[in-house]
């Protein structure tokens, strides 16, 4: 495993490790670890750092849903164009192009089921290329982002 891969693995395990911790675990100099992290960030390999939140323990509880989207493309509009439009909505937490029975898998978050439903019906469904939406509300989460 290369030093880049080792540092990426450590950042995924715990992004709060100090440079000193990572240097000790990889047998690299602290300056090498810092340079590698800066390079990974500037190249866009590391796009950010986030906490994994257990929303069931937060008041008020957030409502999450996974939405299947089917689309029809034309000569001027591709998957990237549709994804760019959808990703701009703050309710959209994740968006992936899929193989199989639907085109996009979209993760949505809101304050209530009705808010999520309104968002889908008023903002997502009216997008001209979207031909079908199927919403699945998350009832419970047992593992998220490896935790």
């Amino acid at each position: 495993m290369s030093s880049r891969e080792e540092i990426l693995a450590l950042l995924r395990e715990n992004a709060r490790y100090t440079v000193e911790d990572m240097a000790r675990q990889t047998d690299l100099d602290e300056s090498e670890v810092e340079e590698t992290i800066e390079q990974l960030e500037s190249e866009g390999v590391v796009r950010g750092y986030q906490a994994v939140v257990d929303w069931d323990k937060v008041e008020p509880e957030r409502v999450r849903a996974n939405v299947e989207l089917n689309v029809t493309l034309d000569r001027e509009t591709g998957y990237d164009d549709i994804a760019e439009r959808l990703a701009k909505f703050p309710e959209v937490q994740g968006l992936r192009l899929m193989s199989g029975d639907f085109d996009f898998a979209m993760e949505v978050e809101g304050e209530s089921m009705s808010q999520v439903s309104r968002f889908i019906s008023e903002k997502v469904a009216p997008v001209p290329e979207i031909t079908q939406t199927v919403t699945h509300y998350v009832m419970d989460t047992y593992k998220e982002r490896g935790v």
Side-chain angles (χ1 to χ4, degrees), residues 14-109:
N14 183 352
R16 294 185 67 174
Y17 281 140
T18 65
V19 169
E20 182 181 314
D21 291 335
M22 288 190 272
R24 189 173 39 257
Q25 293 181 60
T26 59
D27 292 326
L28 297 170
D29 293 333
E30 288 181 28
S31 62
E32 289 177 275
V33 172
E34 284 179 340
E35 288 172 19
T36 302
I37 291 171
E38 287 173 11
Q39 185 179 26
L40 290 166
E41 290 172 344
S42 69
E43 292 172 358
V45 174
V46 174
R47 299 187 315 193
Y49 302 90
Q50 296 180 345
V52 178
V53 177
D54 183 348
W55 288 109
D56 292 337
K57 295 182 179 176
V58 176
E59 292 294 328
E61 188 175 325
R62 305 285 289 171
V63 173
R64 292 178 294 155
N66 294 319
V67 184
E68 299 172 7
L69 303 173
N70 281 313
V71 301
T72 299
L73 303 178
D74 57 37
R75 290 177 188 244
E76 291 83 36
T77 308
Y79 289 118
D80 290 345
D81 300 315
I82 297 167
E84 188 177 318
R85 268 186 276 161
L86 294 172
K88 289 179 181 176
F89 291 113
E91 294 88 349
V92 176
Q93 300 299 302
L95 183 63
R96 293 176 176 82
L97 182 63
M98 305 297 289
S99 64
D101 294 335
F102 55 95
D103 298 308
F104 286 102
M106 184 171 64
E107 298 169 29
V108 176
E109 188 176 283

Side-chain angles (χ1 to χ4, degrees), residues 127-146:
V127 172
E129 295 83 7
I130 293 178
T131 59
Q132 182 183 25
T133 67
V134 178
T135 303
H136 305 275
Y137 288 95
V138 176
M139 304 304 290
D140 210 345
T141 299
Y142 300 101
K143 185 174 183 177
E144 188 166 21
R145 294 188 190 143

